[in-house]
Amino acid sequence: RGKWLASGSPCHGDLLLWECADATSVTALEMRGGGGVGLLRVSACGLLLLSAGTQGGLRVWETCGWTWEAYNRFAGPCVAAAWAGPPLLGADAPRTLLFALRGETRLHALRFTRAAAPPRAEYLGSFELAPLGLGPVRSLAWEAGARRLVVASAPPAAPTEGEPPAKRGPGTPGG
């Protein structure tokens, strides 16, 4: 069904591409910047691939010619990511990448206006999840219809003395 398999290891900085038709054909794409590959996520359409380094930095690859663009403005390593948008988008349709950095209770968003070579994105900003009673983000996933995002988090930090507990909204435990 697929044409390639991407793999990476937190122990080394190469992103390995395996041709599915010939399991012995491997291409190594260097991540650079130290550390290994901590996270890989392919867009639903298969045209974009996120690779996140264990020491920080994001790289988004377009999967036709394997050119990339680095996004190094973020302080920590990316621990969770999910591509928004239905799978059957044309090459010029926008795609949005939501992601979280280690220890943060915030989701960041990058919008790719088209699957160009190399991919270019606009930073849309971030959304703070702590007021919803969530702790640091651990994983993200879209439900099958791509209308709802599921966020798994660590327990929220205990409030310091004199600080009110986080407010809980409808649909959250205790809300």
Side-chain angles (χ1 to χ4, degrees):
R1 186 172 173 193
K3 294 180 182 179
W4 49 267
L5 169 75
S7 67
S9 167
C11 299
H12 63 81
D14 288 337
L15 171 62
L16 301 177
L17 297 176
W18 302 78
E19 294 289 332
C20 290
D22 175 12
T24 61
S25 180
V26 180
T27 302
L29 303 173
E30 189 180 349
M31 283 284 292
R32 296 190 187 120
V37 179
L39 183 71
L40 294 171
R41 292 289 183 268
V42 67
S43 63
C45 63
L47 294 174
L48 297 171
L49 174 71
L50 164 73
S51 60
T54 57
Q55 295 182 2
L58 303 173
R59 187 170 287 191
V60 176
W61 305 79
E62 54 81 20
T63 62
C64 294
W66 294 103
T67 60
W68 53 269
E69 186 70 25
Y71 301 91
N72 296 320
R73 70 178 274 184
F74 306 102
C78 177
V79 295
W83 288 96
L88 300 177
L89 293 173
D92 290 335
R95 288 150 183 84
T96 302
L97 175 65
L98 300 175
F99 62 95
L101 304 176
R102 184 184 312 155
E104 286 193 355
T105 56
R106 162 181 316 275
L107 291 181
H108 298 273
L110 288 173
R111 183 172 209 65
F112 296 82
T113 52
R114 45 189 272 262
R120 302 269 189 234
E122 170 190 5
Y123 182 66
L124 298 179
S126 63
F127 179 76
E128 181 58 54
L129 300 172
L132 302 176
L134 297 176
V137 176
R138 288 192 174 165
S139 67
L140 300 171
W142 288 97
E143 54 86 23
R147 291 180 298 161
R148 294 183 203 106
L149 180 68
V150 178
V151 178
S153 73
T160 58
E161 192 173 321
E163 181 182 338
K167 294 182 181 178
R168 299 198 182 268
T172 61

